[in-house]
Amino acid sequence: PTLVNGLISKLGAPNPRVANQACNALHKLGMAFDADDSGERNGTNQLSPFMPTLLQTLIATADRQDASEHNLRVISFETINVFVQNSAPDCRELLLQLLPAIIERLRVSFTLPVSSNEDREAKEGLQGLLCGLIQVLAFKLQADFASFADSAMSNLLQALQTKSSTCHTEALSAISAVADVMEIAFEKYMGALQPFLIAGLRQFDAYHVCQTAVGVVVDITRAIEGKVLPYTKEIMEALVDSLKDPTLHRSVKPPVLSCFGDIALAVEGQFEPYVQLSMMMLIQAAATQASQDDEDMIEYVNTLRESVLEGFSGIVQGLATRSDLVRPYLSSVVQFLQQLSSDPSRDMAVLSKAVALIGDIASLGANVKDNLNHQFISQLLHDGMQTGDQSIMETANWAGTLVQQLLQQS
């Protein structure tokens, strides 16, 4: 208690550098509760008695006239985020009071006057921080967030109308969290969100925004599933154009490729118009090679291949009832698996996804028997069983059983 109260009092120090140091110390204190499960076990933890004063004082610190000095506003919000994330169940009511206050602050921020570039940067920075806190509160409150979702989304959409790419990234991340919480009910926001989502997907020059927008698409497809169909054409066009753009940062390509699989899983047979183009792009990406002496490129190619395998799996699963659409591409997919079976640079994540894809292909039934009757398929399954990783071993066992049953059919 003495330590916490002492640090809280230092937040009001006239010198912003001292306040920043107190914030940093509180941030570390909050992080110490990352692995603390006493909240789950007892409904409370050692932070609970201080939470009202902590949140109130940290918000006041972020509001200081000199909060832009020594990064004080940013570290104040980051510290609030940590305390929210690690708060115990007995602080839920406090968080339910905090949420509408933060949404209101975001609403008011749009009316703040701007008379200089410094003002604009401070305003957009504040809006990004508020969006980030809304995201943290959504994840923490889960179902309890729903009654605030309309006002949150209204203001998050307004944040997407600013000219700040940082603000766009934070707003999109918060929207992902809302989709995760709202699930199928999120569909009601899609009409208003779609233009901003497409704009985000097409911000090839601001790749952080583009990458975050791809993540939003993934979260939306998982939340509203087949209800995403009316918005799929525009989304797919933007994703394909991003892969075609030579200036796009390479880090965006893997999530785009795996996103094809998420969309296919959501719309199932309705994915037919996009099968040819998405499969060709996945096959093209699968051909990317890395020099054995370039560790950075090896790491990237493994990430790329993991995403390609996820894309293939999603399409194969999504079109399980229309396997005729997938079969023309299976020889290329299996050729890729053959390449992976003898690749010395292959990592565990790639092996895990490869084994899962074998099981997904086997699930298509007798028509794919010849595609899987190869030594290298057995080798990949064997490698999966030898990893010592429980999850990969279970997947390899499942896939191996399906392949065995398939090959035993006359």
Side-chain angles (χ1 to χ4, degrees):
T2 311
L3 171 66
V4 177
N5 289 326
L7 291 171
I8 288 172
S9 69
K10 286 281 192 292
L11 291 175
N15 187 332
R17 189 175 63 82
V18 175
N20 171 289
Q21 289 170 343
C23 247
N24 270 303
L26 284 167
H27 188 273
K28 286 175 184 168
L29 179 68
M31 293 279 284
F33 284 82
D34 277 357
D36 181 71
D37 64 350
S38 58
E40 289 173 27
R41 286 186 286 107
N42 308 321
T44 188
N45 63 20
Q46 289 175 297
L47 289 176
S48 293
F50 304 102
M51 281 292 287
T53 310
L54 277 167
L55 294 179
Q56 191 177 357
T57 314
L58 286 163
I59 288 169
T61 305
D63 284 343
R64 283 171 54 145
Q65 290 292 105
D66 56 3
S68 56
E69 295 178 37
H70 295 281
N71 215 30
L72 185 55
R73 181 174 293 113
V74 173
I75 187 64
S76 296
F77 270 94
E78 287 176 354
T79 307
I80 293 168
N81 290 346
V82 167
F83 283 121
V84 168
Q85 284 165 342
N86 291 337
S87 62
D90 61 347
C91 292
R92 203 167 192 79
E93 283 304 316
L94 180 66
L95 301 187
L96 287 169
Q97 292 167 30
L98 177 64
L99 176 58
I102 296 302
I103 294 170
E104 175 60 14
R105 278 171 175 261
L106 181 57
R107 186 192 68 78
V108 170
S109 75
F110 300 119
T111 65
L112 292 175
V114 171
S115 55
S116 66
N117 279 339
E118 209 173 78
D119 285 349
R120 181 177 292 104
E121 283 177 20
K123 179 177 177 175
E124 290 171 348
L126 174 64
Q127 288 165 345
L129 293 166
L130 290 165
C131 290
L133 181 48
I134 289 170
Q135 177 190 5
V136 171
L137 284 162
F139 277 130
K140 186 70 180 181
L141 292 168
Q142 289 296 309
D144 288 341
F145 183 89
S147 55
F148 301 98
D150 286 357
S151 59
M153 280 299 295
S154 170
N155 287 287
L156 291 169
L157 289 171
Q158 193 161 349
L160 289 174
Q161 294 176 53
T162 66
K163 290 185 168 63
S164 162
S165 61
T166 303
C167 197
H168 289 183
T169 302
E170 294 295 341
L172 286 167
S173 296
I175 286 167
S176 267
V178 177
D180 185 62
V181 168
M182 296 296 288
E183 295 182 335
I184 200 75
F186 187 84
E187 186 202 356
K188 65 179 175 178
Y189 305 120
M190 281 303 297
L193 173 61
Q194 179 78 346
F196 299 109
L197 186 58
I198 299 303
L201 290 172
R202 292 189 173 280
Q203 280 204 44
F204 306 145
D205 53 339
Y207 75 92
H208 288 298
V209 177
C210 184
Q211 194 165 16
T212 308
V214 174
V216 176
V217 173
V218 172
D219 287 329
I220 287 171
T221 57
R222 291 174 184 175
I224 68 174
E225 298 176 340
K227 301 281 187 184
V228 79
L229 183 61
Y231 311 97
T232 300
K233 185 173 184 289
E234 263 191 304
I235 290 171
M236 283 296 296
E237 285 170 356
L239 292 174
V240 168
D241 286 349
S242 74
L243 291 176
K244 288 179 178 175
D245 191 288
T247 65
L248 185 72
H249 195 276
R250 72 180 192 182
S251 65
V252 184
K253 294 187 177 182
V256 169
L257 291 163
S258 62
C259 189
F260 289 157
D262 288 290
I263 293 171
L265 274 171
V267 302
E268 297 180 334
Q270 303 290 332
F271 193 73
E272 182 175 0
Y274 317 109
V275 174
Q276 183 178 7
L277 194 51
S278 53
M279 287 300 274
M280 292 312 294
M281 288 197 144
L282 287 164
I283 290 164
Q284 189 180 343
T288 308
Q289 301 282 348
S291 168
Q292 287 303 308
D293 57 0
D294 187 343
E295 286 189 20
D296 184 50
M297 190 61 181
I298 288 171
E299 187 179 342
Y300 173 70
V301 167
N302 272 321
T303 303
L304 188 71
R305 287 175 173 176
E306 185 185 351
S307 296
V308 167
L309 291 163
E310 286 173 345
F312 282 144
S313 273
I315 292 170
V316 169
Q317 287 179 52
L319 297 174
T321 59
R322 292 293 314 275
S323 61
D324 56 298
L325 298 172
V326 178
R327 281 201 300 277
Y329 307 98
L330 284 184
S331 59
S332 297
V333 174
V334 170
Q335 200 176 334
F336 178 46
L337 289 171
Q338 181 176 12
Q339 181 189 338
L340 295 180
S341 69
S342 57
D343 181 7
S345 304
R346 177 191 74 201
D347 65 15
M348 288 271 276
V350 169
L351 178 58
S352 173
K353 303 296 180 186
V355 167
L357 177 58
I358 291 169
D360 292 329
I361 294 170
S363 301
L364 296 177
N367 287 323
V368 300
K369 182 177 175 180
D370 291 344
N371 296 105
L372 297 177
N373 193 10
H374 298 288
Q375 173 58 33
F376 60 83
I377 295 292
S378 303
Q379 184 62 53
L380 280 166
L381 294 171
H382 173 77
D383 290 350
M385 290 301 293
Q386 298 300 308
T387 57
D389 180 291
Q390 190 64 33
S391 175
I392 299 176
M393 288 163 64
E394 285 175 9
T395 306
N397 187 45
W398 162 77
T401 303
L402 285 176
V403 170
Q404 199 171 15
Q405 288 171 352
L406 194 64
L407 298 181
Q408 284 170 355
Q409 290 177 17
S410 55

